[in-house]
Amino acid sequence: MKSLNQVMFDYQDRSGSDSGFVTSLAGSLPKVQFRDVLTGGVLIDTVNVSLTQKLMEAIHPQNMNVALVTNNLVEGLEQKHEKYYDFNYTEEALPAAQLLRWASVAS
């Protein structure tokens, strides 16, 4: 049962909607024991330490994307077009000084 709960946790809907969470939780009530009502059957009983460590090591400023949404496009930068969602965007590298600043905060 624990491995089934782990799979359910790993692949659960992450929509972020509070009402969606409540609806999902209410729907799971007939399927879970009373002690599992608040977790809805997706509580992680054991932590995979090596996987957690690997994930933490992968999180650093040089390994990220930053998105800034604005109505004011910067002139002079090459604009690209996203055809499925129909919007224009630009891409540029983050300044090395900014990456170093962010990295120093993490250490």
Side-chain angles (χ1 to χ4, degrees), residues 61-67 91-100 102:
Q62 290 80 10
N63 189 22
M64 69 178 196
N65 292 319
V66 176
E91 290 182 348
E92 61 182 292
L94 292 167
Q98 183 66 56
L99 293 173
L100 287 172
W102 287 340

Side-chain angles (χ1 to χ4, degrees), residues 12-64:
Q12 68 183 323
D13 180 27
R14 289 174 172 79
S15 63
S17 164
D18 292 337
S19 63
F21 172 72
V22 171
T23 301
S24 172
L25 187 61
S28 70
L29 290 178
K31 304 173 197 167
V32 297
Q33 296 180 9
F34 179 74
R35 70 173 190 259
D36 296 326
V37 166
L38 292 180
T39 61
V42 293
L43 180 66
I44 297 175
D45 295 315
T46 57
V47 176
N48 183 332
V49 176
S50 63
L51 181 60
T52 303
Q53 184 64 35
K54 185 177 178 181
L55 175 65
M56 295 304 293
E57 290 169 357
I59 299 174
H60 52 83
Q62 290 80 10
N63 189 22
M64 69 178 196

Side-chain angles (χ1 to χ4, degrees), residues 68-82:
L68 172 65
V69 178
T70 179
N71 289 331
N72 304 320
L73 290 174
V74 178
E75 296 294 327
L77 294 177
E78 177 188 352
Q79 292 193 15
K80 298 180 180 180
H81 185 77
E82 206 298 320

